[in-house]
Amino acid sequence: MEKKNNILLITNGFPYDGSEVSFLDTEFQLLTQRYHISVLALGANPNGNIDSKYRKEDVRYYSVSVPKLNPIGLIAQLFHKWVRKEICNSWSAKEKRNSLRRIPYLLLFSYRSDIYYKKIEEIFNCRQFDLIYTFWCTPATFSAYRYAKDRGIKYMTRFHGGDLYVERMKERGSYFPFRTIIADTADRLVFLSDAAKEYFSSHWKIQDGRGLISPLGTHPFATLPYFEISENVVSMVTTANSIKLKRINLIIDAIAEVDSKYHIIWNYFGNGEDWSELKSYADMRLSKGNIEWHFRGKIRHEELYDWYKKVQASVFILASETEGVPVSIEEALGMGLAIIATDVGGVKEEVIQDVTGYLLRSDPTVEEIKNAIEKYIDLSVEKKIAMKKESVELWERKYDARLNAKKLIASIEDILGAG
C-alpha cells in the first residue's frame, strides 16, 4: 500500500464554522482521500459541531483561539529580531503616517503568529506532518514559515482577496506584514486567477515555478432551465454580504431607474452589518409597480440551487468595489445564469463581455448598471439561451472544483516529491 503523506491544513474556522464550506468542500474531500489530514481551525469553538460530511475517521481536528490582548504581550514582540527588521524594512520616510499605522498591526500579527506557532508545534508532536497548507495568508502563514524553517518541512499558502490586495488595508498602512519573506520562501503560492497572480507579482517577487493559478471552483449544480416568464421581464439574484464593499445600494439604485416598460424581479441573499439599512433603502427606492424584490437573508449553501430555481433566476448581478474571484459568480455560471458584474479582481475572467454576460467598469454609474439590465432583457430568446450555454461551458472549463482540486493535489505532489 502506498504511503500517505501528512498535511496540516489551517483554515479560518472550517469545519467548525460553515462560512468556508463553499470554498473548501470539494478540495477537502479530495485531500482527505489522498493524504493524512490534520485540520487547525483558527478562532473556532472547539465544542462546535462538525457536519458529519466532514467528520472522517482518519482526520484529526484542532482549534485555537487568541486570548485577550494585553499591551505587554504586544510590546514583547519587539524582542523578536524579525519584528525589528520588519519595522525597518517597512518604514518609509515619505509615508510616515502609513509607516506608523503599520507598527501596531505588525505587533498584533506577530503576537498571533506566536500563538499559532505553539499550536502547530503541539500538533506536530502528535502527528508529524510533511507540509503545512494555510488556506488563507494570515499570521498562521508566517507561523508556518517559521515552523517549516525550524523543522525542514514544506509550506504553502493560498490567496483570496482580503489577504492579497493592499488597497483593502488602508487603515493599516496599506501593508501586509512579512509578505516579502513569504513570497521568497513559500514552496507554493496559490492564486485564484491570472489577475491575482499578476497583482502579486507587481508588489512582490514570485520565485520560479512557485506560483500556481487554482480557482476554487464549485461542485456541479444542475443547469437551471430557461425561464421564459413573459416579454420584458427578468428575474435577477444577488448573493453577497451586506457590507459597503459589495455596493448593494448601487444595484438598488439601478433597478429603481429601469424603464417602467420592463418588469424586474430581484432576490437578494445575504446578511451582514448593513442589512437593515439596505432593506430600508430598498423600501424607499423600489416602490414602483414594475419591481418585485425580496431580501431573503442568509441561506445555507446547499439550498442555493433550489432557491435560484424557485425564483426562476436568469441573471446574477454583483457590483462589488473589490473582489478576489467570487465563488458566487462561479456557482451562477455553473447553473447557466448570465452575469452582470464589475471589473474588479479576477471577475473579468468569469464574465466574458456579451458572451457570459456584461462586464461593467470597476466604478460604474447607476446608468451603466441599468443599461446592462435592459440590454439583457432586450436580447432574443435565442441569444439568452446561447448566453446560458456559454456560462455553463466556461464553468466546465475553469470552475469545476473537482478538476481544480486535482490540479492542486498534483502541485502538492510536486512539492513533496521535491523534498
Side-chain angles (χ1 to χ4, degrees):
M1 183 179 293
E2 185 181 1
K3 178 181 177 293
K4 286 185 176 183
N5 288 102
N6 292 299
I7 293 177
L8 174 62
L9 171 65
I10 302 181
T11 72
N12 279 0
F14 177 92
Y16 298 94
D17 179 349
S19 63
E20 292 172 291
V21 165
S22 62
F23 299 156
L24 262 167
D25 180 51
T26 305
E27 193 171 300
F28 178 76
Q29 300 297 342
L30 291 181
L31 284 170
T32 54
Q33 290 173 22
R34 181 67 186 84
Y35 306 105
H36 296 299
I37 299 293
S38 300
V39 180
L40 173 57
L42 307 181
N45 177 3
N47 298 316
N49 293 323
I50 298 176
D51 190 300
S52 59
K53 181 179 181 181
Y54 306 113
R55 183 166 285 286
K56 298 178 182 293
E57 185 176 342
D58 186 48
V59 178
R60 297 183 184 179
Y61 303 90
Y62 304 88
S63 64
V64 60
S65 58
V66 178
K68 188 175 180 181
L69 292 177
N70 65 81
I72 295 175
L74 289 180
I75 294 171
Q77 297 306 306
L78 293 169
F79 288 99
H80 288 314
K81 61 183 178 181
W82 54 79
V83 171
R84 298 193 301 272
K85 184 176 180 179
E86 181 73 7
I87 291 173
C88 294
N89 290 342
S90 64
W91 184 269
S92 171
K94 294 180 180 179
E95 298 181 4
K96 288 184 179 179
R97 179 173 293 183
N98 267 353
S99 296
L100 289 170
R101 284 177 177 172
R102 291 169 182 170
I103 294 174
Y105 180 44
L106 167 61
L107 297 178
L108 175 62
F109 194 98
S110 180
Y111 174 75
R112 289 179 172 170
S113 175
D114 276 353
I115 292 168
Y116 300 151
Y117 182 96
K118 292 174 184 176
K119 189 66 180 184
I120 290 170
E121 186 170 45
E122 176 188 320
I123 297 168
F124 188 85
N125 290 334
C126 296
R127 176 191 263 182
Q128 295 187 6
F129 38 80
D130 310 291
L131 170 74
I132 304 173
Y133 170 24
T134 64
F135 192 71
W136 307 78
C137 193
T138 67
T141 307
F142 188 61
S143 308
Y145 151 73
R146 291 165 55 194
Y147 202 79
K149 182 181 177 183
D150 291 346
R151 289 285 184 174
I153 61 175
K154 309 288 186 179
Y155 86 100
M156 61 185 283
T157 189
R158 183 187 273 282
F159 296 92
H160 298 259
D163 53 0
L164 173 62
Y165 298 106
V166 294
E167 292 79 8
R168 296 192 187 184
M169 305 296 289
K170 290 180 181 178
E171 76 284 359
R172 291 175 172 174
S174 300
Y175 164 70
F176 290 109
F178 308 111
R179 184 54 53 90
T180 300
I181 292 175
I182 291 167
D184 289 343
T185 62
D187 294 282
R188 197 70 82 239
L189 303 167
V190 186
F191 303 97
L192 298 179
S193 66
D194 291 307
K197 184 180 178 183
E198 290 169 8
Y199 177 91
F200 189 95
S201 297
S202 71
H203 290 74
W204 306 278
K205 183 179 179 181
I206 300 176
Q207 300 300 318
D208 291 344
R210 294 189 182 181
L212 173 68
I213 297 168
S214 177
L216 293 173
T218 66
H219 67 77
F221 287 100
T223 302
L224 289 168
Y226 174 73
F227 299 112
E228 181 57 50
I229 303 171
S230 61
E231 189 177 3
N232 289 344
V233 178
V234 66
S235 176
M236 304 191 302
V237 290
T238 298
T239 298
N241 291 328
S242 307
I243 56 177
K244 288 180 173 55
L245 285 176
K246 299 300 181 180
R247 297 192 294 204
I248 305 298
N249 59 305
L250 275 184
I251 297 174
I252 293 171
D253 287 337
I255 292 171
E257 297 301 320
V258 168
D259 193 296
S260 58
K261 72 179 181 180
Y262 300 110
H263 189 87
I264 307 296
I265 304 167
W266 178 54
N267 282 271
Y268 169 52
F269 301 92
N271 64 4
E273 59 191 34
D274 295 336
W275 192 89
S276 296
E277 181 182 335
L278 287 167
K279 189 173 185 301
S280 296
Y281 188 63
D283 275 326
M284 179 181 68
R285 293 285 283 136
L286 304 180
S287 58
K288 294 194 300 186
N290 65 316
I291 301 170
E292 296 178 37
W293 60 277
H294 305 276
F295 271 44
R296 302 290 186 182
K298 186 176 181 179
I299 60 170
R300 295 201 311 272
H301 180 252
E302 56 269 25
E303 297 176 326
L304 192 67
Y305 175 84
D306 289 338
W307 266 109
Y308 282 14
K309 184 176 181 180
K310 179 179 179 179
V311 301
Q312 299 189 342
S314 56
V315 173
F316 181 92
I317 184 167
L318 199 63
S320 301
E321 180 181 328
T322 179
E323 284 286 358
V325 180
V327 169
S328 58
I329 292 182
E330 295 171 7
E331 292 165 337
L333 288 169
M335 294 186 223
L337 273 61
I339 313 296
I340 298 173
T342 43
D343 184 8
V344 292
V347 172
K348 62 185 174 185
E349 296 172 31
E350 299 174 313
V351 185
I352 303 172
Q353 192 70 281
D354 296 313
V355 177
T356 63
Y358 304 110
L359 189 64
L360 304 166
R361 293 185 309 111
S362 60
D363 190 18
T365 63
V366 169
E367 180 79 6
E368 288 168 344
I369 303 173
K370 177 199 76 119
N371 289 344
I373 295 170
E374 294 181 352
K375 185 176 182 180
Y376 176 83
I377 299 174
D378 286 337
L379 290 177
S380 66
V381 171
E382 292 75 20
K383 288 185 176 179
K384 288 176 181 174
I385 292 174
M387 192 170 279
K388 172 182 285 291
K389 182 180 177 183
E390 292 286 352
S391 290
V392 174
E393 289 180 355
L394 178 61
W395 178 88
E396 291 173 342
R397 291 195 305 272
K398 295 186 67 174
Y399 302 116
D400 184 334
R402 298 165 301 180
L403 298 179
N404 293 345
K406 287 177 182 177
K407 291 176 184 176
L408 180 72
I409 287 173
S411 184
I412 292 173
E413 288 294 294
D414 182 58
I415 295 171
L416 295 173

